[in-house]
Amino acid sequence: MLSYLLLTLALLSSAAYYLGRNRAFAVANGHIRNLHSLPGFYGSYTALWCGLPALLVLALWVALQPSLITDLVVAGLPPELHDLPADRLNLVVNDIKNLVNGNIVSSAPNPAILEAANHYRNLRVIGNSALWVVIVSLALAGLAYSWNAIAPTLRARNRVEQIVTLFLILSSTLAIFTTVGIVLSVLFESILFFQHVPITEFLFGLQWSPQTALRADQVGSSGAFGAIPLFSGTLLISGIAMLVAVPIGLMSALYLSEYATPRFRAIAKPALEILAGIPTVVYGFFAALTVAPLIRQIGTAMGLQVASESALAAGLVMGVMIIPFVSSLSDDVINAVPQSMRDGSYALGATKSETIKRVLLPAALPGIVGSILLAVSRAIGETMIVVMAAGLSANLTGNPLAAVTTVTVQIVTLLTGDQEFDSPKTLAAFALGLVLFTITLILNIIALRVVRKYREQYE
Amino acid sequence: MSTTAIATDLGLKPAATAATASRSVSSVEVTDYDNRQTVGKIVVDNAKMICRGVNVYYGEKQAIKNVSLDIGANEVIAFIGPSGCGKSTFLRCLNRMNDTITTCRVTGQIKLDDDDVYDKSIDVVQLRARVGMVFQKPNPFPKSIYENVAYGPRIHGMVNTKAELDDLVRDSLERAGLIKEVEKRLNEPGTSLSGGQQQRLCIARAIAVHPEVILMDEPCSALDPIATAKIEELIDELRENYTIVIVTHSMQQAARVSQRTAYFHLGDLIEIGETDQIFTNPKHKLTEDYITGRFG
Ligand SMILES: Nc1ncnc2c1ncn2[C@@H]1O[C@H](COP(=O)(O)OP(=O)(O)O)[C@@H](O)[C@H]1O
Ligand SMILES: [Mg+2]
């Protein structure tokens, strides 16, 4: 029923567009030059007047109607139901709503509740009809008003563009508000967590076993929330990943930008970027089912102790995943070094490799560092590969052949499963998230600054 | 405007124009625009570089058509002509900078002393050490002033000790007339200098590898008149030790710094001769049109 209303509104607006445009032609006496704006703008102007106020009222109405009706129904309940304590009353209201919607109710409905349900249904029908009337008349009123207002001097373009600007502003602030919202919610939950576990223990503790008791008398009822093993595991895996991604990414960027023929470059660059488009779950499979067993086989053949889920496997695959980041960004940065630098070097008799080593890399270094930092923050935040390939045991070790776990993996395991949302175990996930967020935020800020500074150098 | 007026405009010796002064009409010998045979003497006695039948193609397009000319030792030779006529292209053949453009193909013969520049046995690294280049826009590396000049000597292994390198850097900066201005700031970035200073730094950078020939592609086009005057003065001094080929847009500049001038038009070398003669007494109608400003 709401969709019909929206459809009607859309139709009305389209009609308004044509009416407004035709009206503009009419008042212009056939000379568009007489108009302040092009006729299309008058059309948009009428369409906006027709659709926008109605849409706003509609949104408000839809948001408020249910609670209003509920209040009316509750007020009309017989005293013995009406005076129930709040939580019981809630139950009754739920029953009524379920009855209205034809769902199963918790107990056999008594007449008072049936009566209330009827009342509810009636109110809703009235409300909906009123909504139709109000919205359609509002749309027509807007249409009439703006149609009337159309005159050669009306600055329709400016008005329409103002509205468009408003939409643009709204859209851009939406992203900011979402970020702020996420940060705040994570922050508050973390504060709750730090009431259970001291922040120093969380940041510097060496033991991570986030079990909490379901019953007070349970064995091992107290968990340990020292996050150092997680940080070290994250560091280890990201470190391995960067050891793979940075040299390979950088060298492929150098090859692509300096040595490759344009034909090869046209094929290889998109191919590398496809790597970035592979879902991380797929990398996860690959790490867990192909790379990890392989490493284990090779390791045992060499007489080494290799865990079946090793940091090495996860790190290697993650490194491969990050290669396109490093190579693509570095390639851009190296390409941005002006051709005149290369010419200057070649003209002095430098070879290609001397030019790369002594001119291009130093000139591009800040940008390359920036791209590496972005890649690091990507590696730290990566979840799927490590969940599947790195294991869950929170070992504090620097051995790449052992199983380790990371911050992101722990967040996933803490939040999956049946846990109360205010137990330290779940709250710990938010604290970990906060740490992760802070680290990647700092890395990104540094990286962006470095990259921007570098850009200015040649402008 | 008559050529005589142009000549006095350019500050040339009036004596050179005296012979032509009586003639009211132009003195050109070739009036046929379609005659693209080079006019003037292409040969010199003490040639440093000899170019014969040089053609340059960018893909299918021919940018230089059968150009032959000599570049004399210790002379300044200017290449002039409307833009797009192939001056830069020809200049870049002389030290094989065109090699860096994949579509570019060069045929014909270019010799530096007795060595064939385009011979397979020639190492471009050696060649470019002997034929240095200065570009239109100053392009110092994003390194210190010192490192900019030390770059060439380092890659060619020209010095053994730090002291030797120091001396070489100072000497090059001195020859480029820059030493007084930068003596105390050798460790500051080369990009912190003014445009004119940057261009002299690039000249110092080129000089540091002891080239025999220096190619300059419109070296002053990005500079103000005072910086330009300094570079022109410098070019005159450098002539003692180097052979200089300069591409220029400014006919005044060609007249001031060069001894010989070559006029290019649409890939052809139209006329070549003593600078005085080219500006006062051009022999080809195209040259006359260009220097009298009838097109360009
Ligand atoms: N890299 C290139 N690729 C293709 N064509 C080029 C290239 N460089 C120059 N050209 C062409 O060659 C001709 C001569 O150019 P250029 O030597 O730069 O002229 P000038 O320096 O006299 O202004 C022009 O028509 C130009 O379009
Ligand atoms: Mg040019």
Side-chain angles (χ1 to χ4, degrees):
Chain A
M1 104 106 214
L2 196 61
S3 47
Y4 285 124
L5 188 50
L6 284 174
L7 195 68
T8 315
L9 214 52
L11 286 177
L12 276 175
S13 294
S14 326
Y17 178 84
Y18 285 103
L19 286 174
R21 215 172 58 145
N22 288 345
R23 166 84 170 158
F25 277 121
V27 297
N29 293 328
H31 298 287
I32 295 176
R33 294 272 314 273
N34 292 344
L35 293 172
H36 170 268
S37 316
L38 287 173
F41 282 111
Y42 290 92
S44 307
Y45 176 75
T46 3
L48 282 172
W49 260 109
C50 171
L52 220 48
L55 211 59
L56 283 177
V57 171
L58 177 64
L60 214 65
W61 189 300
V62 169
L64 293 182
Q65 173 167 318
S67 59
L68 201 71
I69 293 184
T70 310
D71 283 354
L72 285 175
V73 170
V74 168
L77 282 176
E80 75 269 16
L81 284 176
H82 186 248
D83 296 338
L84 281 173
D87 49 343
R88 294 285 308 282
L89 186 64
N90 245 339
L91 223 57
V92 171
V93 170
N94 258 340
D95 272 351
I96 296 173
K97 282 188 185 163
N98 282 340
L99 265 178
V100 171
N101 293 328
N103 291 336
I104 300 159
V105 281
S106 62
S107 55
N110 71 30
I113 291 189
L114 279 177
E115 166 82 6
N118 256 336
H119 187 194
Y120 192 105
R121 214 175 277 133
N122 288 340
L123 281 176
R124 205 165 68 172
V125 170
I126 297 175
N128 286 346
S129 323
L131 178 62
W132 268 90
V133 174
V134 169
I135 295 303
V136 170
S137 44
L138 203 59
L140 288 177
L143 172 61
Y145 167 76
S146 52
W147 190 82
N148 228 348
I150 288 176
T153 51
L154 179 72
R155 300 170 154 242
R157 174 168 45 79
N158 306 29
R159 303 281 176 81
V160 170
E161 278 170 2
Q162 266 169 11
I163 303 266
V164 171
T165 319
L166 201 71
F167 272 117
L168 296 183
I169 293 173
L170 276 179
S171 316
S172 60
T173 42
L174 201 65
I176 297 173
F177 281 124
T178 315
T179 315
V180 171
I182 292 175
V183 171
L184 287 183
S185 81
V186 170
L187 192 67
F188 287 134
E189 303 288 347
S190 305
I191 289 172
L192 276 184
F193 172 73
F194 291 130
Q195 284 165 359
H196 293 278
V197 178
I199 187 164
T200 46
E201 188 196 321
F202 173 72
L203 286 180
F204 304 113
L206 300 181
Q207 188 75 33
W208 177 265
S209 60
Q211 282 76 261
T212 44
L214 293 174
R215 299 183 315 274
D217 57 343
Q218 201 178 357
V219 189
S221 60
S222 62
F225 288 96
I228 289 285
L230 309 189
F231 298 149
S232 79
T234 306
L235 214 65
L236 182 63
I237 291 182
S238 317
I240 295 171
M242 297 319 287
L243 279 182
V244 174
V246 170
I248 297 182
L250 210 55
M251 285 193 264
S252 66
L254 279 178
Y255 179 75
L256 283 182
S257 66
E258 297 303 309
Y259 291 95
T261 59
R263 261 242 310 278
F264 181 80
R265 188 184 148 87
I267 299 170
K269 203 172 178 204
L272 254 179
E273 275 155 14
I274 286 176
L275 265 187
I278 298 177
T280 52
V281 202
V282 177
Y283 280 108
F285 283 170
F286 178 60
L289 301 181
T290 312
V291 179
L294 193 72
I295 288 176
R296 192 173 153 84
Q297 273 171 19
I298 296 174
T300 17
M302 286 162 53
L304 293 170
Q305 191 77 41
V306 185
S308 58
E309 295 175 314
S310 60
L312 189 59
L316 285 180
V317 174
M318 196 195 281
V320 171
M321 183 196 81
I322 294 174
I323 288 173
F325 277 85
V326 179
S327 76
S328 185
L329 284 170
S330 306
D331 180 53
D332 290 347
V333 169
I334 292 170
N335 263 328
V337 177
Q339 181 62 30
S340 66
M341 293 292 127
R342 296 180 181 83
D343 285 346
S345 175
Y346 293 144
L348 287 167
T351 61
K352 214 160 209 175
S353 68
E354 281 165 342
T355 305
I356 290 172
K357 266 189 309 215
R358 291 168 184 260
V359 178
L360 290 185
L361 283 184
L365 192 65
I368 292 173
V369 168
S371 71
I372 291 176
L373 286 182
L374 285 179
V376 170
S377 86
R378 179 71 209 243
I380 291 177
E382 172 51 37
T383 314
M384 225 45 224
I385 295 176
V386 272
V387 166
M388 298 173 82
L392 297 174
S393 44
N395 295 325
L396 181 51
T397 171
N399 176 6
L401 301 178
V404 295
T405 192
T406 68
V407 175
T408 48
V409 171
Q410 286 307 312
I411 293 179
V412 172
T413 49
L414 289 176
L415 288 181
T416 44
D418 294 331
Q419 279 283 335
E420 301 155 51
F421 256 93
D422 52 358
S423 78
K425 182 173 169 181
T426 9
L427 290 176
F430 290 97
L432 289 176
L434 185 67
V435 173
L436 201 62
F437 180 81
T438 315
I439 292 175
T440 47
L441 186 71
I442 292 174
L443 279 176
N444 281 353
I445 290 176
I446 297 177
L448 290 179
R449 291 224 150 178
V450 168
V451 170
R452 189 159 55 215
K453 193 146 191 189
Y454 158 80
R455 289 226 173 96
E456 284 161 5
Q457 201 179 323
Y458 293 115
E459 276 164 7
Chain B
M1 198 190 241
S2 79
T3 50
T4 316
I6 276 278
T8 22
D9 233 30
L10 298 176
L12 289 177
K13 294 185 287 290
T17 63
T20 59
S22 56
R23 272 183 262 171
S24 55
V25 214
S26 72
S27 61
V28 295
E29 291 163 9
V30 183
T31 49
D32 177 11
Y33 284 120
D34 294 331
N35 185 347
R36 322 229 13 125
Q37 208 77 47
T38 302
V39 179
K41 208 170 110 211
I42 58 166
V43 210
V44 295
D45 297 336
N46 54 343
K48 183 73 192 170
M49 297 191 84
I50 298 173
C51 313
R52 290 294 176 269
V54 176
N55 293 290
V56 184
Y57 305 85
Y58 289 113
E60 291 298 297
K61 194 180 156 222
Q62 188 167 10
I64 288 291
K65 299 166 191 161
N66 194 20
V67 167
S68 303
L69 62 80
D70 283 1
I71 296 164
N74 294 67
E75 78 169 354
V76 178
I77 180 168
F79 292 173
I80 60 170
S83 36
C85 68
K87 307 178 296 287
S88 301
T89 300
F90 188 69
L91 192 75
R92 289 161 61 91
C93 292
L94 301 177
N95 66 345
R96 288 181 60 174
M97 275 302 279
N98 282 334
D99 289 11
T100 58
I101 300 169
T102 43
T103 57
C104 186
R105 198 159 51 81
V106 180
T107 65
Q109 192 182 45
I110 298 178
K111 286 179 112 175
L112 172 61
D113 291 336
D114 291 325
D115 301 319
D116 189 344
V117 166
Y118 277 88
D119 194 78
K120 288 219 164 49
S121 64
I122 283 278
D123 182 6
V124 286
V125 169
Q126 298 302 323
L127 171 70
R128 288 180 193 155
R130 290 175 68 189
V131 185
M133 186 159 195
V134 176
F135 295 84
Q136 183 165 0
K137 217 176 128 224
N139 59 346
F141 301 130
K143 298 170 180 285
S144 71
I145 294 171
Y146 182 95
E147 285 300 323
N148 260 286
V149 183
Y151 185 85
R154 281 222 168 99
I155 58 176
H156 291 294
M158 290 169 61
V159 288
N160 295 320
T161 63
K162 174 87 171 92
E164 275 176 47
L165 186 60
D166 285 352
D167 284 347
L168 182 52
V169 169
R170 286 189 65 87
D171 181 56
S172 309
L173 285 169
E174 184 149 11
R175 282 164 188 251
L178 194 60
I179 190 71
K180 282 209 191 67
E181 290 150 79
V182 301
E183 207 158 23
K184 297 209 171 57
R185 42 194 287 211
L186 286 178
N187 290 318
E188 285 176 32
T191 43
S192 67
L193 296 172
S194 74
Q197 289 172 327
Q198 286 188 16
Q199 195 61 301
R200 277 180 285 150
L201 178 63
C202 292
I203 294 176
R205 188 173 76 182
I207 291 173
V209 293
H210 297 323
E212 297 156 35
V213 182
I214 303 176
L215 312 176
M216 298 186 176
D217 193 347
E218 300 184 31
C220 302
S221 64
L223 305 183
D224 63 77
I226 293 177
T228 301
K230 281 209 173 122
I231 302 258
E232 286 178 3
E233 208 175 298
L234 176 62
I235 291 173
D236 214 41
E237 287 164 17
L238 291 175
R239 182 157 67 94
E240 247 176 71
N241 300 304
Y242 310 93
T243 300
I244 294 172
V245 186
I246 180 172
V247 169
T248 175
H249 246 69
S250 146
M251 283 175 278
Q252 283 86 345
Q253 183 168 65
R256 281 193 297 262
V257 301
S258 70
Q259 286 79 55
R260 281 166 79 231
T261 296
Y263 172 68
F264 288 80
H265 183 256
L266 293 180
D268 289 301
L269 174 58
I270 299 296
E271 182 164 356
I272 182 168
E274 301 290 319
T275 299
D276 286 1
Q277 174 256 310
I278 294 279
F279 282 108
T280 56
N281 195 9
K283 297 219 164 59
H284 198 295
K285 189 87 176 97
L286 281 167
T287 318
E288 191 195 46
D289 283 358
Y290 184 68
I291 63 170
T292 52
R294 232 164 276 165
F295 75 98

